[in-house]
Amino acid sequence: MINRELVAASTEPLILSLLSRGESYGYALIQEVKRISGEKIEWTDGMLYPVLHRMEREGWIASRWGEAENGRKRKYYSLKKDGKKALKNQREQWAAVSGVFEQLWEAQYV
């Protein structure tokens, strides 16, 4: 399992990256992150939805209510133009941090 603080720090770029693939809803985002991470990252509803709502207030994502195949209502989220800019910015930041770690760890043979 990955440290809670690292999971929290990576939540926004992960959401933005997933939504750059197309519209999705909360439970599907939770399941996709779990799958992609090999079950090392497990989000909860209580962690995810406040982040989604904050990102929506910031103008990065939009939401709409839709009906699932089973007839239940779901809230679908999609990336907005400002969300694409935020994703670009966050990618650059994470790439810079990752590059520093690669240099440090390569030299240390960890």
Side-chain angles (χ1 to χ4, degrees), residues 25-36:
Y25 56 97
Y27 182 74
L29 293 170
I30 290 170
Q31 293 303 308
E32 186 63 4
V33 165
K34 186 176 180 180
R35 184 190 69 77
I36 291 171

Side-chain angles (χ1 to χ4, degrees), residues 100-110:
V100 170
F101 280 125
E102 286 177 21
Q103 289 179 24
L104 289 171
W105 291 339
E106 184 177 288
Q108 294 174 351
Y109 303 103
V110 174

Side-chain angles (χ1 to χ4, degrees), residues 13-28:
L14 285 170
I15 291 170
L16 292 170
S17 295
L18 290 169
L19 292 179
S20 73
R21 298 175 169 184
E23 184 178 66
S24 191
Y25 56 97
Y27 182 74

